[in-house]
């Protein structure tokens, strides 16, 4: 695994540079796919990314994770990703079929079929570019510490109950994330600084966090930070 760490002076420059880097990675010929992070950090990056002149009809957008909520809920990642990115482009946007299923695991496995048949089939069966966030406990996507999703070694997508947020979550698994061609972590703010150190410079005795498991299993990892999030790591490549 190669990990490239880049630090930007502010959350604004982080959002701008992250969008340009993602755009560059999605600009090659042929089909691409982009796995989207939920939460709030990516919002300004998505707005800027949507402004780039990319071949959007050839870039399939999919969700790195989703919450088991109503589609209209403000907590629904599909709603945020639609508002801030997908609705502003001509990209095919693949939502998790929440309303079609009674059980979260059924919806997760239905989405796995969508991934395999309609998205990854266009890119040699591999995830192309995946954008991930980082929680202050070191979770990424909806792979939280001490949850079953981390242990999934077969399915590309699974459902897992997360006691910390008292919610069922549907998430890409390590088998899916680890074979991505380009994995980007996008992290902003001082509250994430310790989790960033656990991800980038883990020391003896640090928690073994899900984000590090994902990074260790991947090939190309780029960690994009603002100065606040990078405040506890040493000698990153500052841009
Ligand atoms: C989600 C995410 C999750 C998120 C982190 C950071 O569904 O919440 O995908 O992994 O990226 O929790 O969230 P913030 O960007 O809101 O801090």
């Amino acid at each position: 695994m190669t990990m490239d760490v880049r630090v930007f002076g502010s959350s604004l420059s982080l959002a701008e540079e992250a969008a340009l880097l993602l755009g560059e990675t999605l600009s090659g010929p042929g089909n691409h796919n982009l796995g989207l992070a939920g939460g709030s950090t990516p919002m300004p990056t998505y707005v800027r990314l949507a402004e780039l002149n990319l071949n959007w009809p050839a870039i399939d957008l999919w969700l790195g994770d989703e919450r088991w909520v109503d589609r209209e809920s403000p907590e629904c990642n599909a709603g945020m990703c639609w508002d801030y990115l997908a609705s502003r482009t001509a990209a095919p946007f693949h939502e998790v079929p929440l309303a079609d299923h009674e059980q979260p695991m059924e919806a997760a496995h239905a989405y796995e079929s969508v991934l395999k048949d309609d998205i990854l089939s266009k890119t040699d069966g591999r995830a192309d570019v995946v954008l991930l966030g980082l929680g202050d406990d070191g979770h990424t996507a909806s792979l939280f510490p001490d949850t079953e999703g981390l242990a999934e070694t077969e399915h590309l997508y699974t459902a897992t109950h997360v006691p910390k947020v008292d919610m069922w979550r549907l998430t890409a698994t390590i088998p899916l994330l680890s074979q991505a061609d380009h994995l980007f972590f996008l992290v902003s703010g001082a509250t994430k600084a310790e989790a960033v150190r656990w991800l980038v410079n883990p020391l003896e005795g640090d928690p073994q966090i899900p984000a590090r498991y994902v990074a260790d299993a991947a090939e190309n990892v780029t960690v994009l930070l603002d100065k606040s999030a990078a405040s506890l790591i040493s000698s990153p490549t500052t841009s």
Side-chain angles (χ1 to χ4, degrees), residues 76-234:
C76 181
N77 282 337
M80 184 276 284
C81 294
W82 172 256
D83 291 343
Y84 286 84
L85 177 61
S87 62
R88 302 164 189 238
T89 74
F93 181 48
H94 304 269
E95 299 191 20
V96 177
L98 295 169
D100 300 351
H101 298 277
E102 299 284 316
Q103 298 300 325
M105 191 60 87
E106 287 171 15
H109 290 167
Y111 198 57
E112 179 181 30
S113 301
V114 168
L115 277 161
K116 287 178 176 175
D117 301 345
D118 304 341
I119 302 170
L120 306 182
S121 54
K122 302 178 193 170
T123 54
D124 301 331
R126 292 168 63 92
D128 184 9
V129 184
V130 183
L131 183 68
L132 292 169
L134 180 68
D136 58 11
D137 59 357
H139 79 262
T140 193
S142 282
L143 299 172
F144 283 77
D146 309 315
T147 58
E148 292 132 46
L150 272 173
E152 179 55 54
T153 58
E154 299 299 320
H155 287 285
L156 301 182
Y157 227 82
T158 194
T160 182
H161 185 258
V162 181
K164 179 177 181 181
V165 292
D166 189 21
M167 189 187 273
W168 276 90
R169 294 284 191 98
L170 294 82
T171 185
T173 60
I174 289 182
L176 174 55
L177 298 174
S178 61
Q179 41 92 342
D181 287 338
H182 308 269
L183 214 52
F184 289 88
F185 286 95
L186 179 68
V187 194
S188 170
T191 61
K192 306 290 180 71
E194 194 169 36
V196 165
R197 193 179 64 66
W198 296 336
L199 171 62
V200 172
N201 290 338
L203 303 174
E204 190 73 28
D206 279 345
Q208 304 289 311
I209 60 171
R212 183 71 203 195
Y213 281 126
V214 170
D216 282 337
E219 285 165 33
N220 299 311
V221 178
T222 301
V223 182
L224 304 173
L225 306 167
D226 62 15
K227 267 189 177 163
S228 306
S231 57
L232 295 180
I233 60 172
S234 53

Side-chain angles (χ1 to χ4, degrees), residues 4-25:
D4 176 18
V5 180
R6 301 194 193 181
V7 181
F8 301 94
S10 68
S11 56
L12 281 178
S13 57
L14 170 65
E16 170 74 16
E17 295 302 324
L20 297 178
L21 266 171
L22 288 168
E24 196 180 309
T25 316

